[in-house]
Amino acid sequence: EVQLVESGGGLVQAGGSLRLSCAASGFTTYAFDDYTIWWFRQAPGKDREGVSCISASDGSGFYRDSVKGRFTMSRDGARNTVYLQMNSLKPEDTATYYCGADRSYYCSGSSPMDYWGQGTQVTVSS
């Protein structure tokens, strides 16, 4: 089956950086490049929210306003891996981060995910 595995989370001080990875495997009918990939996060007591997306169509994407200019998403098709480079981290970035794969062409924000990873914890201290 298709699996998504996140890594790279940890504890970092405010202003620091982390790079999250989402490694995908097990694709059969469709390939990794056919999927739009999202990063989501969920903090305790809060709703899950979309953080960033990179499209299957042309690599264009989306960043929520609170992370624009600080987070950068990229895709390595040869490794079936997407990355989220997070710079200038703030305590409010603390959450469990999940990647999801959506068999669609664009970052519409309306299509449900076809696959989810298990999540990786990011904690930003003051």
Side-chain angles (χ1 to χ4, degrees), residues 28-102:
T28 54
T29 303
Y30 300 96
F32 172 72
D33 290 347
D34 295 317
Y35 289 83
T36 288
I37 308 297
W38 283 84
W39 284 100
F40 297 86
R41 66 187 181 188
Q42 187 167 28
K46 298 183 67 176
D47 292 337
R48 183 181 64 214
E49 62 183 18
V51 176
S52 184
C53 174
I54 189 164
S55 71
S57 60
D58 58 3
S60 62
F62 159 85
Y63 299 91
R64 71 181 302 108
D65 288 344
S66 61
V67 308
K68 285 181 179 177
R70 299 189 297 120
F71 291 11
T72 303
M73 195 171 176
S74 60
R75 186 180 195 130
D76 185 343
R79 293 179 178 270
N80 284 359
T81 301
V82 296
Y83 303 95
L84 184 66
Q85 179 67 46
M86 306 186 295
N87 299 325
S88 301
L89 283 162
K90 304 175 180 179
E92 51 263 45
D93 296 318
T94 295
T96 302
Y97 284 70
Y98 302 88
C99 63
D102 170 19

Side-chain angles (χ1 to χ4, degrees), residues 4-7 39-40 96-99 116-122:
L4 305 177
V5 179
E6 301 98 332
S7 62
W39 284 100
F40 297 86
T96 302
Y97 284 70
Y98 302 88
C99 63
W116 288 95
Q118 294 298 116
T120 186
Q121 179 66 39
V122 172

Side-chain angles (χ1 to χ4, degrees), residues 38 102 107-112:
W38 283 84
D102 170 19
C107 298
S108 69
S110 61
S111 298

